[in-house]
Amino acid sequence: MNFLPQKTFTGKYLKNLTLYVFTAIVGGVLAGHYAPGESIKLGVVSRYFFMILEAFILPVIFMAIIYGICQLSEIKNARNIVWQTILYFLTVGSIAIILGIVFGSIMQPGSDTGIDISYINTTLPKNFEIENGDLSTLLYLNRHGIFLLISILTGIIMNLSSKKEKFLNLLERGTSIFYTVIKYLYFILPLIIFCNIAYGIAVYGINTLLPLSKVVATVYLADIVFIFGILGLISYGFGFNLWTFLLGIKEEIILVITTSSSKTAFPLIFEKMESEGYSRKILRFIIPLGYNFNLAGACIYISVTCCFLIQFYNISLGFNDYLWLFIIISVTSKTASGVPGSGFLALIFTLNRFGKIPLTDIALLYSVDRFMNEARSVTNFIGIAVSGAIISKINQHQKDEIPSA
């Protein structure tokens, strides 16, 4: 079914933003290389920006989930959609973890590295220091999951309330306000990207990347195979053209790559997909959940880096150990939704829970985490968007749920 494209903020603004972003990247590389001292100071700009952005996006996700649950109850096959979503998330997440372990085992990124720790920046920021059993740490790591559970419970309670319609109207207004504020924040994105790139080049330049290029290449290769192989096959099985879909959301993908965060495109993907005819009510249910339960990029990243450390320390593990590691990654990857660096926190959380891989030289991986963050974020984002498109498509017979073109 073809739908006429509508003019959206996404199409109008991000097409012009691409040139500014490219200019910011080039400028950031030059600044980081030729003025490293000043560029290091710019790191605080991007860090606080993403903290502010997350503070606005979390309420949007909260409202979107409540809205999605309330609206989903009006669809005749709502129960089927819930089970389809759960099955899809579990299956795709499991495939991503297995794919990461397979690629890590085949490419052996941690074997015979010849790495001299003395030549690597091993400084680990204090916010990555995790104490086992510390309540504040556990709450921080699981803040998105806690937020998600509260929003689901609120949605269920509100769905049973007699004042449901009034509450939905308030949600619509609130979401609209937050969307507007977030969109205006995007106007300073070129500046933020410039600061982010300049800081990264100044602190973790090419000299840091080269010794660990194999683990970075393994993550990128596994992500590429997942997107065009796994998601491509799944899309083909449902009569869905993945390449055409990716071209349709290319502006959002560019935004995710340049900011190293899948959350930055959260408000825009709704607008883009709804304008292309995908079910608004289904998207408002699936996509917010996907930002916690469908993080394929994080699954691959954690799996590959765990394999790297296993090989780096020459640790011998049996089948049961890998099975336990698989279960732990299935849980801890759900904490990788947030600002840039949340994936590395999820990795530390995984190693703490697994207990058989030392964290002695974990800063070694942090030195190249920024180079893997783009692949992790864009894989998360594409996986989330594709899940919304596929589940919306297989329930396309709900004609009254599809917005008219």
Side-chain angles (χ1 to χ4, degrees):
M1 187 172 182
N2 296 320
F3 296 90
L4 296 174
Q6 296 179 7
K7 290 183 178 181
T8 66
F9 179 90
T10 307
K12 182 180 179 181
Y13 176 62
L14 287 184
K15 286 181 180 178
N16 297 324
L17 181 64
T18 305
L19 176 62
Y20 304 138
V21 164
F22 178 76
T23 305
I25 292 172
V26 174
V29 171
L30 293 175
H33 181 72
Y34 292 105
E38 291 74 14
S39 297
I40 289 175
K41 298 175 184 178
L42 296 177
V44 69
V45 177
S46 58
R47 184 167 70 251
Y48 281 113
F49 172 80
F50 286 116
M51 289 174 62
I52 293 170
L53 184 63
E54 185 179 34
F56 282 105
I57 287 180
L58 277 177
V60 172
I61 294 177
F62 178 78
M63 291 185 286
I65 291 174
I66 296 174
Y67 181 91
I69 290 174
C70 291
Q71 292 290 291
L72 192 67
S73 64
E74 299 177 4
I75 303 176
K76 293 180 181 178
N77 63 333
R79 184 174 295 179
N80 289 338
I81 293 173
V82 172
W83 283 113
Q84 288 165 5
T85 303
I86 293 172
L87 181 62
Y88 183 92
F89 286 177
L90 288 175
T91 303
V92 172
S94 298
I95 291 172
I97 296 171
I98 294 170
L99 186 69
I101 293 175
V102 168
F103 268 82
S105 301
I106 293 174
M107 296 193 67
Q108 296 282 308
S111 299
D112 302 320
T113 58
I115 293 173
D116 187 346
I117 295 295
S118 61
Y119 287 97
I120 303 295
N121 187 333
T122 57
T123 304
L124 196 63
K126 291 184 178 180
N127 58 309
F128 289 113
E129 295 176 1
I130 295 178
E131 296 181 11
N132 285 324
D134 185 65
L135 181 60
S136 60
T137 300
L138 291 174
L139 290 174
Y140 175 75
L141 285 171
N142 294 282
R143 64 194 185 282
H144 297 284
I146 294 170
F147 216 71
L148 181 70
L149 290 175
I150 293 173
S151 58
I152 290 174
L153 289 173
T154 305
I156 293 172
I157 294 170
M158 191 50 56
N159 194 44
L160 300 174
S161 173
S162 59
K163 298 181 179 179
K164 172 183 170 181
E165 291 302 323
K166 291 183 179 179
F167 190 74
L168 285 177
N169 289 332
L170 287 175
L171 283 180
E172 284 281 5
R173 293 176 185 175
T175 303
S176 177
I177 292 171
F178 275 98
Y179 272 18
T180 302
V181 173
I182 292 170
K183 287 173 181 179
Y184 279 111
L185 282 176
Y186 288 153
F187 280 102
I188 62 171
L189 267 179
L191 173 63
I192 303 304
I193 292 167
F194 169 81
C195 296
N196 199 30
I197 297 294
Y199 174 81
I201 294 297
V203 179
Y204 309 106
I206 196 67
N207 292 331
T208 301
L209 175 62
L210 289 177
L212 292 164
S213 57
K214 198 171 182 181
V215 67
V216 176
T218 303
V219 169
Y220 271 81
L221 184 58
D223 283 333
I224 290 170
V225 171
F226 175 80
I227 292 171
F228 295 103
I230 304 302
L231 292 184
L233 285 173
I234 293 173
S235 301
Y236 180 78
F238 288 103
F240 172 71
N241 191 311
L242 178 64
W243 183 248
T244 302
F245 177 76
L246 294 181
L247 288 176
I249 60 170
K250 60 183 182 297
E251 292 89 1
E252 287 76 14
I253 293 175
I254 291 172
L255 181 62
V256 171
I257 293 172
T258 52
T259 58
S260 301
S261 174
S262 58
K263 284 271 178 73
T264 54
F266 176 77
L268 303 181
I269 193 61
F270 282 122
E271 197 173 69
K272 173 62 74 68
M273 292 182 68
E274 287 172 14
S275 73
E276 292 180 356
Y278 293 100
S279 172
R280 174 187 179 89
K281 294 178 180 178
I282 294 177
L283 290 179
R284 291 294 176 100
F285 173 73
I286 294 170
I287 289 182
L289 291 179
Y291 270 89
N292 275 91
F293 294 120
N294 189 27
L295 301 174
C299 292
I300 292 171
Y301 163 79
I302 296 173
S303 301
V304 171
T305 49
C306 281
C307 287
F308 167 82
L309 291 171
I310 290 168
Q311 296 152 14
F312 185 74
Y313 292 112
N314 197 24
I315 301 171
S316 180
L317 297 179
F319 175 79
N320 289 338
D321 293 319
Y322 278 103
L323 181 60
W324 177 232
L325 181 61
F326 171 88
I327 294 171
I328 292 174
I329 295 174
S330 299
V331 176
T332 56
S333 61
K334 308 300 181 286
T335 66
S337 175
V339 297
S342 55
F344 188 75
L345 271 173
L347 172 62
I348 297 176
F349 198 31
T350 302
L351 298 178
N352 267 318
R353 289 291 169 268
F354 187 56
K356 295 189 176 184
I357 303 174
L359 281 78
T360 310
D361 300 313
I362 190 66
L364 182 70
L365 280 172
Y366 181 70
S367 65
V368 291
D369 183 69
R370 299 182 69 87
F371 297 102
M372 295 185 280
N373 207 6
E374 288 81 2
R376 181 171 68 227
S377 298
V378 78
T379 304
N380 284 340
F381 176 72
I382 291 174
I384 292 165
V386 167
S387 67
I390 288 177
I391 295 175
S392 178
K393 182 177 177 61
I394 62 180
N395 292 279
Q396 200 82 335
H397 60 277
Q398 294 287 330
K399 300 293 184 181
D400 55 322
E401 300 304 328
I402 306 300
S404 58

